[in-house]
Amino acid sequence: MNSTSDHLSAREDRAWHAFFESQVLFWRRLGQQLQQDTGLSEPDFAILSALEQAPERQLRAFELSGVTQFEKSRLHHHLNRMIGRGLLTREPCPGSSRGTVIALSPEGLTAITAALPRRAAHIRQWLTDPLEEGQLDALTEISEAMLDRLRAADTPPAPPPTGCA
């Protein structure tokens, strides 16, 4: 972009609109298919998959907030709904009288285990299958370059509290 211009060039505008609309439609489609095929929402999936990969299949709420990017109160309400549906449990933190961890329940493990292959199929259908091999490599390089810039601009997170307090 010309640094003296306040507007996008035609080329930049075309790239922006294609990127923006593809993102909106991609995530809408993925969310709809996930809900239809598994009964899980995108936040459900993010939380369950994070817990499925975590040591002992449990994390503190602040760790889950990093996955979902939810504000504290929104995350609290969502976790309570998932606990109510039997997907998660809230457990005392070992060695702390006040702290808790969010743990994957057996029902939650069943749900995420069933959802993972469906999610992979959806990603293939809408993201990787339409691309040729070189295009997939280019998409990866472009995405990594954008991530590098975005991550560098993020404010460093506060250090996590020690233990489960």
Side-chain angles (χ1 to χ4, degrees):
M1 182 166 122
N2 182 342
S3 62
T4 62
S5 173
D6 291 336
H7 302 285
L8 297 176
S9 69
R11 182 176 178 216
E12 291 166 328
D13 191 59
R14 180 176 172 222
W16 163 244
H17 283 287
F19 173 79
F20 179 77
E21 187 174 358
S22 68
Q23 289 289 309
V24 170
L25 294 176
F26 176 77
W27 284 108
R28 182 183 308 149
R29 178 68 59 178
L30 251 57
Q32 289 170 343
Q33 285 186 295
L34 182 69
Q35 183 75 47
Q36 178 182 339
D37 292 355
T38 68
L40 298 174
S41 67
E42 286 295 328
D44 291 343
F45 183 86
I47 290 167
L48 292 173
S49 60
L51 289 168
E52 191 269 334
Q53 296 173 35
E56 300 181 43
R57 295 193 170 130
Q58 60 185 23
L59 293 169
R60 304 247 335 268
F62 81 88
E63 294 169 312
L64 287 169
S65 71
V67 172
T68 61
Q69 299 296 309
F70 280 6
E71 292 179 2
K72 187 177 179 178
S73 73
R74 182 176 179 203
L75 178 64
H76 175 77
H77 291 298
H78 196 82
L79 293 174
N80 283 339
R81 285 191 299 273
M82 292 180 74
I83 289 167
R85 290 166 45 210
L87 298 171
L88 306 175
T89 61
R90 184 175 279 115
E91 307 287 337
C93 184
S96 171
S97 60
R98 297 182 317 147
T100 61
V101 293
I102 304 300
L104 192 60
S105 71
E107 293 84 359
L109 180 59
T110 298
I112 193 61
T113 300
L116 286 168
R118 296 301 310 144
R119 171 47 56 98
H122 299 155
I123 290 170
R124 284 187 189 102
Q125 179 182 9
W126 300 111
L127 180 66
T128 61
D129 285 352
L131 302 178
E132 296 172 7
E133 191 173 315
Q135 291 174 312
L136 184 57
D137 293 338
L139 177 63
T140 302
E141 291 174 24
I142 291 164
S143 298
E144 288 171 347
M146 290 175 62
L147 276 172
D148 288 346
R149 170 78 55 100
L150 291 164
R151 286 177 178 153
D154 268 352
T155 326
T162 57
C164 292

